Structures are given as C-alpha cells and as structure tokens.
C-alpha cells in the first residue's frame, strides 16, 4: 500500500476519534438537539457522515450509496464506524482501481466528514454540554482503529472548564500576555 493510502487510512481513524470525542458523555437527548431551523441534528449529521463515507466507497466500487435513516443516534454511530472500517479496508486493497485521485478523497468526502465531526462538537457547546479541549497532536489515533471504542485524550488541556468560554489559542492560554497576542507570538515567546 502506498503512503497516500496509509495517510487516508490515518485520516479515517482521526474522523473516528474526533467523532467519538464529540459524542462521548453527550446528554441522552443530544441526538435530537436542533440549534435552529433547517440545522441538522446530531443524529442527522452522523447519518449524513455515513452517506459521505459510503459515497467515497462508490469511487472504488461503483454504484450508489444512499443509506436509510436509522431509528437512533446510537445505531447511526455504529453504522458510521462500520462504513469507516469498510473504506479503510478498501484503501488497503490494491486491486481496487479508484475513479478519483487520493487527493480528491481527502479534500472531498473525507474533509467533509471531518467538518461534520467538528459540527458535532460545536453542537455540544450549543446544547450546554461542551466537549473538553485537548492537544490533538498527542491523541492516540491508530489507523487500524476506526471503531467506536476510541482512546481517551492523551493530553487534555488542564485549564479547560465547561463553564468558561473558549480561551485564545496559545500553548498555555492562561499565560497569554494579552488578548492581542497572536498564537504565533505566544509560540515564539
């Protein structure tokens, strides 16, 4: 398997990790939370993510993929991880000839799915149950693991509190000298 396909597999694992991070500890009614008119619920977002990843698989197998909506968010999440595993395995199969370039997988359906994982995290904050921050560079992401059982954060931000607004980007935001200090300046000091 070439390096590009290995990176695509790793990116799928990052989608799985970030999706589970956004869903871990969510309130029981989170799946039906609607931030506003015509805004997808978390249940609808995960359903859409499954459709996007399934669509990526059609670029290797042909055909179409239009998953029916499942009854619960939990069922949707299980199916999403199953489809992530199938695409991960597809990327390892050198006999499959893709209709698009590996870069197109990345900037198309995979980036779209990652965007929706971020939307799940934002919806958690809007629903009154924010997701703790962490240093994702240290995350225990393993390309072989695209399942629901994802590791806990390896480097959670010790300063994070659910009752405070997000702090500015900095290695240690509590030590940032002023609100006008840029992230780059903070890293250089």
């Amino acid at each position: 398997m070439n390096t590009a396909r290995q990176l695509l597999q790793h990116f799928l694992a990052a989608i799985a990790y970030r999706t589970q991070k956004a869903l871990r500890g969510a309130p029981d009614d989170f799946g039906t939370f609607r931030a506003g008119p015509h805004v997808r619920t978390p249940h609808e977002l995960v359903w859409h993510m499954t459709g996007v990843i399934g669509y990526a698989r059609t670029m290797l197998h042909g055909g179409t993929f239009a998953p029916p909506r499942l009854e619960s968010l939990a069922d949707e999440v299980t199916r999403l991880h199953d489809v992530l595993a199938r695409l991960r395995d597809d990327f390892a199969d050198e006999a499959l000839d893709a209709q698009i370039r590996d870069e197109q997988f990345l900037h198309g359906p995979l980036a779209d799915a990652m965007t929706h994982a971020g939307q799940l995290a934002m919806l958690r904050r809007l629903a009154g149950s924010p997701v703790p921050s962490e240093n994702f560079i240290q995350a225990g992401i393993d390309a072989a693991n695209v399942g629901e059982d994802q590791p806990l954060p390896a480097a959670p931000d010790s300063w994070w509190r659910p009752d405070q607004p997000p702090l500015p980007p900095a290695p240690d935001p509590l030590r940032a000298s002023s609100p006008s200090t840029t992230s780059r300046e903070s890293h250089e000091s």
Side-chain angles (χ1 to χ4, degrees):
M1 178 175 24
N2 67 38
T3 303
R5 290 291 172 93
Q6 290 172 340
L7 286 171
L8 291 176
Q9 288 181 322
H10 187 82
F11 197 79
L12 291 173
I15 291 169
Y17 180 89
R18 288 189 176 225
T19 299
Q20 283 304 313
K21 178 178 176 66
L23 296 173
R24 186 183 298 123
D28 291 339
D29 61 350
F30 179 62
T32 60
F33 175 74
R34 190 172 302 278
H38 310 294
V39 176
R40 287 181 176 129
T41 66
H43 185 158
E44 292 165 340
L45 272 174
V46 175
W47 176 31
H48 177 68
M49 291 168 73
T50 298
V52 167
I53 298 301
Y55 171 69
R57 292 193 72 221
T58 70
M59 298 295 114
L60 293 155
H61 294 279
T64 60
F65 184 80
R69 180 180 167 146
L70 299 178
E71 187 154 328
S72 72
L73 174 59
D75 291 338
E76 292 289 355
V77 169
T78 297
R79 179 173 61 182
L80 170 64
H81 287 283
D82 179 58
V83 175
L84 285 168
R86 290 174 187 219
L87 183 56
R88 178 207 53 212
D89 294 347
D90 289 343
F91 285 149
D93 186 347
E94 294 179 12
L96 292 175
D97 188 28
Q99 298 172 23
I100 61 175
R101 297 183 327 275
D102 290 342
E103 295 86 355
Q104 291 174 297
F105 279 112
L106 181 61
H107 71 245
L110 302 190
D112 188 32
M114 184 64 85
T115 296
H116 297 310
Q119 288 171 333
L120 289 169
M122 180 170 283
L123 287 174
R124 280 285 299 274
R125 181 169 287 281
L126 291 172
S129 178
V131 177
S133 61
E134 71 176 279
N135 181 341
F136 284 101
I137 291 173
Q138 304 299 320
I141 297 172
D142 176 1
N145 181 8
V146 295
E148 292 180 66
D149 187 18
Q150 292 292 316
L152 294 174
D157 290 328
S158 61
W159 51 262
W160 184 86
R161 302 286 178 272
D163 58 343
Q164 72 183 12
L167 297 175
D172 182 351
L174 294 179
R175 295 173 144 216
S177 59
S178 73
S180 64
T181 302
T182 66
S183 179
R184 182 181 173 96
E185 290 167 339
S186 295
H187 287 288
E188 293 176 349
S189 57

